[in-house]
Amino acid sequence: MRILVTGAAGMIGRKLVQRLLEDEALGGRALEALVLHDVVRPEADSPMVTALEGDLSAPGAAEALVAHRPDVIVHLAGVVSGEAEADFDKGYRVNLDGTRALLDAVRQAGLHPRVVFASSEAVFGGPFPDVIPDDFAPVPLTSYGGQKLMGEILVNDLSRRGMIDGVSIRFPTICVRPGKPNRAASGFFSGIIREPLVGLPAVLPVPRGVVHTMASPRAAVGFVLHAATMDTGPLGGRRAVIPPGVAVSVGEEIEALRRVGGERAVALIEERPDPAVWAIVQTWAKAFEARRGRELGFVAEDSFDEILRVHIEDELGGRVPVAEG
Amino acid sequence: MRILVTGAAGMIGRKLVQRLLEDEALGGRALEALVLHDVVRPEADSPMVTALEGDLSAPGAAEALVAHRPDVIVHLAGVVSGEAEADFDKGYRVNLDGTRALLDAVRQAGLHPRVVFASSEAVFGGPFPDVIPDDFAPVPLTSYGGQKLMGEILVNDLSRRGMIDGVSIRFPTICVRPGKPNRAASGFFSGIIREPLVGLPAVLPVPRGVVHTMASPRAAVGFVLHAATMDTGPLGGRRAVIPPGVAVSVGEEIEALRRVGGERAVALIEERPDPAVWAIVQTWAKAFEARRGRELGFVAEDSFDEILRVHIEDELGGRVPVAEG
Ligand SMILES: NC(=O)c1ccc[n+]([C@@H]2O[C@H](COP(=O)([O-])OP(=O)(O)OC[C@H]3O[C@@H](n4cnc5c(N)ncnc54)[C@H](O)[C@@H]3O)[C@@H](O)[C@H]2O)c1
Ligand SMILES: NC(=O)c1ccc[n+]([C@@H]2O[C@H](COP(=O)([O-])OP(=O)(O)OC[C@H]3O[C@@H](n4cnc5c(N)ncnc54)[C@H](O)[C@@H]3O)[C@@H](O)[C@H]2O)c1
């Protein structure tokens, strides 16, 4: 089994690579080669890994990757929502042209790989019902959402034509995001948990009533592994799937934080309204039915407490520093 | 008022140009310049017209058009469904890259024109309800439909950002299409009327029970003129509109033909099933609610008899040759 991961130095990419190297297999087939690509050189210490650095949208870049003849491609490379909104050209170049270059290279090479495409719930735009059904019409209200939807259309079309066997995952917000804050407008959903748990201050730029759907990084890796190995027959022409997630308000996040980190943790959150972030967040959906995703075998957490527990296990070695201090 | 029409040598383009030159105005403003573009040199005999020939997706082509600083752009250029399905590269190059090149050139030039984009009901893919509501989720099942949907996403995004003021018209099948048959898989809907009316044979490749939504070329021009002049405020972030049309079965088309052309006309239709055409036609929707389109002021015919009457008036000088013979 030969696997190519784009955006492999990113948050989901790193966790996916770690998991693949631990499992040494995917879907019952032994791992032979793992080709990693990112603008930032991906790090991985294994003889199975080829780590490549570059811009996926640059001429020839996608062809060079596809020359490794992957059986599975996990396409995670992308510019996040805030950046795609701030930089029109960059968003389209990376998110649309990069995706198209990759799929074109696959087609030209005559490979027929499984392709897992990291789409987003940002393909949807309001007005929304409280719970979004699986067949809700996607009308993006950000450039990022539009670029992801265009990627989905390509994945559908090439799959229908038998050029690839694709699955697009409409990721919910992945939370608690480890590491430094990134430029995603959704960053605070993780920041208000991650920072206080280790005794650092965090800013909350939106009201506590904001409801949003989340899944852990561990669940995100699970989505990718499932999409890479599932029977795609039941998808028909509709390759984009809404996986399950936990719909939770910011206030409920804070209560879950209080249960593990106490008042000391909660006091580290400073409410400082940011109209720019608020404007973007208001265009997002609250909750999803995700019945089809569940039926197709995608699995996520059931509560925000569980998401918090996963974070403490995977990132903090089971400890809660702020509660110990 | 300066107007640019791409695909101006096409069926809708020619009728639109004729109408604009007759009206000498658009939305109450006098016509100053009409820039026509197509791969086939557009013909128009007026000092107001600049006729240009070329491939819209070729480097520099879009910039050269936009240099004429249009107030309104009607973007009709495109490769039709059958051809986009048969030639993957050409479909994406013209329908996606051509549209993107045009919009990019507009953006770079800092113009903020009204842009009318010729989308299609082919953005929808089944399974369908009998009557498709306005908020039905578009999942194209042809490359052409996907390319049109990607164009809509661009029009939405650039409109939201204030770079253009766009309207995408999800055209139903335009019938009766004058002139020679083209490579659209929908060609027979017109062929079985157009040819028999003048005493020529026509082939029907699908069963008579097939229901499809149609509007006349005159109505299509009306859609474009309305989209070019309407108040776009009520569209919000949803710039794609389903205009009204007549949902009619092939059998009903034939009965309408019988009423004006008699048995002699109907006998000229030869039923010769074509599985390739049938396969494409089965992916199409039957009928549309089109309530939003009506409320937004788009107007079409109410019956197929009316569509037939428009054809006889506009194309046959009010005569029915087969009935006279
Ligand atoms: N994390 C989330 O909450 C979330 C939600 C919805 C969708 N997604 C999507 O999932 C994917 C992975 O998410 P993530 O959280 O790991 O994001 P991330 O930002 O951590 O990783 C994306 C990676 O793509 C790389 N990249 C950017 N431009 C590139 C280019 N031109 N060529 C090659 N690589 C490039 C970046 O360097 C980065 O390492 C992204 O496409 C993202 O849009 C993520
Ligand atoms: N007529 C219909 O039933 C119908 C239905 C839905 C959508 N549409 C869309 O409406 C538009 C106009 O329809 P039409 O019936 O007049 O189509 P048409 O095929 O008669 O006209 C399209 C024109 O685009 C031109 N063209 C093709 N490639 C080009 C390129 N690379 N550069 C410049 N010009 C190019 C063609 O030469 C042609 O004259 C098309 O985009 C079509 O997809 C039409």
Side-chain angles (χ1 to χ4, degrees), chain A residues 181-265:
Chain A
N182 73 352
R183 291 188 61 183
S186 56
F188 68 87
F189 288 115
S190 289
I192 59 167
I193 303 297
R194 184 186 57 231
E195 310 300 315
L197 278 179
V198 297
L200 294 173
V203 170
L204 175 60
V206 305
R208 287 181 181 224
V210 167
V211 171
H212 197 62
T213 294
M214 308 178 201
S216 75
R218 197 196 279 177
V221 169
F223 296 161
V224 171
L225 296 180
H226 185 62
T229 55
M230 69 187 285
D231 173 13
T232 53
L235 293 175
R238 295 163 188 258
R239 300 286 176 142
V241 178
I242 302 175
V246 179
V248 69
S249 70
V250 168
E252 288 163 337
E253 272 196 83
I254 294 173
E255 290 318 305
L257 173 67
R258 196 189 309 273
R259 284 190 281 278
V260 298
E263 287 311 322
R264 200 195 299 221

Side-chain angles (χ1 to χ4, degrees), chain B residues 7 9-13 37-40 54-56 76-80 94 118-120 144 148 171-174 177 182:
Chain B
M11 188 267 283
I12 298 176
H37 182 263
D38 203 298
V39 273
V40 180
D55 175 357
L56 181 62
L76 301 172
V79 162
V80 294
V94 177
S119 186
S120 165
Y144 170 81
K148 291 294 189 186
F171 279 111
T173 291
I174 303 307
R177 187 183 175 91
N182 72 353

Side-chain angles (χ1 to χ4, degrees), chain A residues 52-259:
Chain A
L52 301 165
E53 194 178 330
D55 175 357
L56 181 63
S57 66
E63 287 81 354
L65 295 183
V66 166
H68 290 267
R69 306 194 71 76
D71 304 298
V72 172
I73 299 177
V74 180
H75 177 36
L76 302 172
V79 162
V80 294
S81 55
E83 195 169 1
E85 202 59 25
D87 189 336
F88 183 94
D89 286 304
K90 187 172 182 186
Y92 276 94
R93 196 177 65 240
V94 177
N95 293 344
L96 175 56
D97 296 332
T99 300
R100 196 158 159 217
L102 182 63
L103 295 176
D104 263 339
V106 167
R107 184 170 65 89
Q108 302 288 358
L111 303 177
H112 299 84
R114 173 66 54 94
V115 174
V116 178
F117 171 57
S119 184
S120 165
E121 286 177 353
V123 297
F124 295 107
F128 293 120
D130 277 346
V131 178
I132 294 184
D134 284 316
D135 60 359
F136 192 72
V139 183
L141 293 180
T142 57
S143 294
Y144 171 82
Q147 292 148 9
K148 290 294 188 185
L149 186 56
M150 293 170 92
E152 289 186 3
I153 295 169
L154 291 170
V155 168
N156 274 344
D157 196 35
L158 272 80
S159 296
R160 184 182 60 81
R161 284 173 172 266
M163 295 163 171
I164 63 169
D165 182 13
V167 181
S168 299
I169 304 171
R170 291 175 168 171
F171 279 111
T173 291
I174 303 307
C175 181
V176 179
R177 186 181 175 92
K180 297 241 169 62
N182 73 352
R183 291 188 61 183
S186 56
F188 68 87
F189 288 115
S190 289
I192 59 167
I193 303 297
R194 184 186 57 231
E195 310 300 315
L197 278 179
V198 297
L200 294 173
V203 170
L204 175 60
V206 305
R208 287 181 181 224
V210 167
V211 171
H212 197 62
T213 294
M214 308 178 201
S216 75
R218 197 196 279 177
V221 169
F223 296 161
V224 171
L225 296 180
H226 185 62
T229 55
M230 69 187 285
D231 173 13
T232 53
L235 293 175
R238 295 163 188 258
R239 300 286 176 142
V241 178
I242 302 175
V246 179
V248 69
S249 70
V250 168
E252 288 163 337
E253 272 196 83
I254 294 173
E255 290 318 305
L257 173 67
R258 196 189 309 273
R259 284 190 281 278

Side-chain angles (χ1 to χ4, degrees), chain B residues 6-14 37-41 52-58 61 65 75-81 83 90 93-95 98 117-122 144 148 169-175 177 182-184 186 190 212-213 215 220:
Chain B
T6 74
M11 188 267 283
I12 298 176
R14 272 179 287 120
H37 182 263
D38 203 298
V39 273
V40 180
R41 189 174 199 83
L52 301 166
E53 195 178 331
D55 175 357
L56 181 62
S57 64
L65 295 183
H75 177 36
L76 301 172
V79 162
V80 294
S81 55
E83 195 170 1
K90 187 173 182 186
R93 196 177 65 242
V94 177
N95 292 345
F117 172 57
S119 186
S120 165
E121 286 177 353
Y144 170 81
K148 291 294 189 186
I169 304 171
R170 291 176 167 169
F171 279 111
T173 291
I174 303 307
C175 182
R177 187 183 175 91
N182 72 353
R183 293 187 62 184
S186 57
S190 289
H212 198 61
T213 295

Side-chain angles (χ1 to χ4, degrees), chain B residues 131-135 241-245 287-299:
Chain B
V131 179
I132 293 184
D134 284 316
D135 61 359
V241 178
I242 302 175
F288 295 85
E289 195 183 0
R291 180 206 292 239
R292 182 169 176 254
R294 276 194 193 85
E295 285 173 0
L296 286 164
F298 289 86
V299 179

